[in-house]
Amino acid sequence: MAENIERLKELDSEIQRLSNIAALLGWDQETYMPEGAVEERSEQKALLEGMIHERITSPEMAKIFSKLGLSESKAAVSGLSVTGTDQAFLREAYRRYRLQSKLPTKLVRRIAKETSLALAKWAEAREKADFTIFSGNLETILTLVREKADALGYEEHIYDPLLDEFEPWMKTKELQEVFQNVQKSLTALLSRITASGTRVESGFLKREYPVDKQRQLSLGVLKSMGYDFKYGRLDLSTHPFTITLGSTDVRLTTRYDRSFFPKGLFGTIHEGGHGLYELGIAAELHGSLLADGTSMGIHESQSRLWENFLGRSRAFWRWFYPRVKELFPAVLADIDLDTFYRGINRVEPSFIRVEADEVTYNLHIILRFNLEMSLVNGDLKVKDLPEAWNQESRELLGITPPDVSLGVLQDIHWSMGDIGYFPTYALGNLYAAQFFRTLKRELPRAEAEVEEGNFSAILAWLREKIHSPGRVYTAGDLCTRVTGETLNPDYYLQYLEEKYGAIYGI
Amino acid sequence: MAENIERLKELDSEIQRLSNIAALLGWDQETYMPEGAVEERSEQKALLEGMIHERITSPEMAKIFSKLGLSESKAAVSGLSVTGTDQAFLREAYRRYRLQSKLPTKLVRRIAKETSLALAKWAEAREKADFTIFSGNLETILTLVREKADALGYEEHIYDPLLDEFEPWMKTKELQEVFQNVQKSLTALLSRITASGTRVESGFLKREYPVDKQRQLSLGVLKSMGYDFKYGRLDLSTHPFTITLGSTDVRLTTRYDRSFFPKGLFGTIHEGGHGLYELGIAAELHGSLLADGTSMGIHESQSRLWENFLGRSRAFWRWFYPRVKELFPAVLADIDLDTFYRGINRVEPSFIRVEADEVTYNLHIILRFNLEMSLVNGDLKVKDLPEAWNQESRELLGITPPDVSLGVLQDIHWSMGDIGYFPTYALGNLYAAQFFRTLKRELPRAEAEVEEGNFSAILAWLREKIHSPGRVYTAGDLCTRVTGETLNPDYYLQYLEEKYGAIYGI
């Protein structure tokens, strides 16, 4: 038993290193790679992904799992004489083996190659606001994604294995129920806000904020949050992301808009939240597959907690606003703290998801979830997608994007083949609210410390409860361990009611 | 036959891609990697290098070569029924297999890991001007390098297999003879220059040249040379280098000194010369091991040709100096073209190799060659190296470095395990002179075109004669094909006599 697990750990450690190397190829492509190298890079990525896949599904792996008594019909590790971290390691290793061994190497390599090509086409299509540049690539990707879902297998819904890739163990049906409730409550809250007649000023956010000073602010906030630049960087990319190139190398990207202040700063804080999660994983898990976020929903709970629950709170700005005013004294001369706080929390249906307020954000996700479901089950054709997007946008948000760059082409995810990913953003908000409520109960001084720009106790709490275990607990288990109950969307809705009730006087 | 060669090409193509990926790991480490990631990165590099080594020496490779009738005792491909590019491919593939299969995977992995660690220590030691920080690492590296030489085997000199790695087919003895002649002529020329009493002003090169403008100049020169930024970049690093991340991705680095103008510009032109070689390789060789410089000496001939034979020529500055003056009008107000030209060509023994003038440069190389020989054959201990360096410096250049950062720690190469590399720099100068003489004969308008900032005919000539064949011809064959004779150091000495005779009136 012990011997088999040791050998598994050795094999896993090489797989982790290769994945970290693959991550560098991706980071470089998004930041510094010369444009002419895109085809060759896609070949390199495909080769590496193929090699990783071969290792995960190697005959030696198969033999070890079979010796350990694990099989498709007996996949649970709970009955085995192994406990603690080793049990979690075995659970995750076998899960990965089982899923990946259902995928032919050829398919994995094709997906890696096609998505790398699609990424460049998507960027071009978005820039030119021309969906047809990208639609052929998206069709190819959807065909491959359906092949993948079929290979992985499912009982209820073709979307199940796709969702499971990002939010392990969660089913489409469960998600649909959560989203139905959330959608109902959010549309109701949005109507009340709109009907309140309260005017929230936010035009000052679109004044001129020089990019070099925005960058200075971003770096300063990350440092205050506890992000350690000895083990990371902040670069520019079209779509901000956090990427793990190793346990000692977790990099962030952001982008700045000279004429829209929130974009750069909140994008940075968001990625900072992801980065702190990855850098907070316990050292004894380093180099293994347990050194990872336990689900994308939990990962997103960390970015949203920093971006919104802390970053858009009044306490945060009591500390931070004087600093911002120092950097932009003329631009913000006529704006007081209260006006600023209300401005960055203004609720208004808008086109771009990553810039959406906390009330409408999850509606953006539900829109994408609905379209993904229709695309993968074949109800919706790629050629009809832009119009379907606009239709959903009118129904959920009451607005129609003027062009595809503000609509269907705004997100990078589909070009990367990441279908099933979007829902985890909404789950992140829900988990964040539930964690934040517990945090505030267990750290009564949290708000006062935020007002002093002191995040050390908060970070220590997050590390102990959420970051350090990495993937040892499943998302559901972690949620129960930390908060005492399973996922409960009510906390998010309560949080919104309270915060936006105060701002809009409803 | 054809089938075996096809399969070899498939295997080689994966090896090339993995080498390109390994190059990205190296590039990132030297440019953007956070410092805390150094140990993990060294593990990643070691893993990848080990995998490459395993593929080069795989049982399948062995089988194919044996089927083709190649063996240690019958290593020449000339007798086989294969011609042209395929013959060259087979020659290089078998050479690589034969050499690599003598190296145990364990040793290759250890070298990769230890050099990655040593690199960081070297940087720290150089910064602190403290040799002891790095000496332990250097001892480890020397032990490994000796193990490598023993494994590769040699008849005459332990240095032979080390030199052969960078300058294939060349022997230590041959090199010693060339260097003896060169040293004699150079010291004689240097004495005559010193004795001439001619004063060449160069103090103006140490005025203040803002870095952003230096960068602007560097980018402009690279574009004029024909370096295509669609397939490359220019970044900053401690030690400038050119690195091939693929046939469509060849990157350069440089560094600027605000108070020393030549450092940034000539460093950039030098790397630009390397970059043009790599980017000029014929498309039909892309992705194979023939898509590479044929030896480091030939590679260096391209960088030195651009840096010195063109970049430090009067014709070049007739075109370029007005542009430089436009960027630094106040700084260079009192300096005319002739003063500038003479200043950048001032001959004076100095500490730093990469900033040395054309007359003393090869003496710096001979110094390193002498020390490397003594280190590998055990005559010189690492602890005595700094003093030995100073001793050689006094003998060859007549000066003693004030500290180790200006002496034994100035170069990155030993920290990378690259013993046997330095001589190729001197060979580069010799080859460059021989090529340049032929170029001027075949392109009588070359000088006139340089005066107009037009490098297209020169680049086309270099591409056709030297770049496009990649590794198809060996260095010796290439030299004969292009110039009609084998390596002849006289051309370099003639070039120096003529150029510096004019400057110093001797």
Side-chain angles (χ1 to χ4, degrees), chain B residues 312-330:
Chain B
R312 286 186 208 259
S313 71
R314 198 182 280 273
F316 184 92
W317 288 95
R318 281 217 181 95
W319 158 67
F320 200 50
Y321 193 53
R323 272 143 200 90
V324 174
K325 272 195 113 156
E326 250 175 58
L327 267 181
F328 308 103

Side-chain angles (χ1 to χ4, degrees), chain B residues 38 58 62 334 359 385 431 493:
Chain B
V38 63
S58 71
D334 58 331
V359 176
L385 177 59
Y431 278 127
L493 300 167

Side-chain angles (χ1 to χ4, degrees), chain A residues 220-287:
Chain A
V221 165
L222 287 175
K223 271 180 204 146
S224 299
M225 288 166 64
Y227 176 81
D228 187 346
F229 282 89
K230 190 178 172 190
Y231 304 110
R233 303 182 41 85
L234 178 65
D235 292 281
L236 291 174
S237 70
T238 315
H239 188 97
F241 62 89
T242 301
I243 193 160
T244 297
L245 284 67
S247 296
T248 55
D249 191 353
V250 176
R251 304 186 189 182
L252 320 177
T253 70
T254 191
R255 75 262 180 272
Y256 305 102
D257 183 338
R258 198 184 158 80
S259 314
F260 188 55
F261 178 77
K263 196 168 183 171
L265 183 70
F266 291 112
T268 303
I269 299 176
H270 180 100
E271 300 308 325
H274 283 304
L276 288 173
Y277 187 2
E278 294 282 320
L279 284 172
I281 293 169
E284 62 264 31
L285 305 178
H286 282 187

Side-chain angles (χ1 to χ4, degrees), chain A residues 114-142 375 382-383 385-386 389 404 407-419:
Chain A
E114 293 295 341
T115 54
S116 186
L117 292 171
L119 192 61
K121 284 289 177 185
W122 163 77
E124 189 194 339
R126 185 167 93 149
E127 203 191 309
K128 297 184 178 161
D130 180 356
F131 184 70
T132 60
I133 293 173
F134 172 61
S135 56
N137 301 77
L138 182 55
E139 267 169 27
T140 307
I141 284 172
L142 276 169
L375 284 170
V382 167
K383 71 171 173 45
L385 177 60
W389 180 287
V404 285
V408 66
L409 286 181
Q410 67 183 273
D411 291 306
I412 201 173
H413 305 65
W414 292 341
S415 78
M416 297 171 80
D418 289 350
I419 303 224

Side-chain angles (χ1 to χ4, degrees), chain B residues 69-87:
Chain B
L70 291 164
S71 65
E72 187 65 28
S73 57
K74 201 203 152 301
V77 296
S78 49
L80 303 176
S81 64
V82 57
T83 52
T85 308
D86 276 356
Q87 190 181 74

Side-chain angles (χ1 to χ4, degrees), chain B residues 367-384:
Chain B
L367 177 157
R368 285 154 181 77
F369 173 66
N370 294 342
L371 294 176
E372 282 189 350
M373 297 269 285
S374 308
L375 283 169
V376 293
N377 71 20
D379 288 349
L380 176 62
K381 301 288 165 227
V382 167
K383 70 169 172 47
D384 301 322

Side-chain angles (χ1 to χ4, degrees), chain B residues 33 56 182 202 204 259 261 264 280 312 387 408 465 471:
Chain B
M33 190 188 80
I56 289 174
V182 169
S202 69
F204 59 88
S259 316
F261 179 77
R312 286 186 208 259
E387 186 38 43
V408 66
K465 306 281 179 179
R471 226 178 159 90

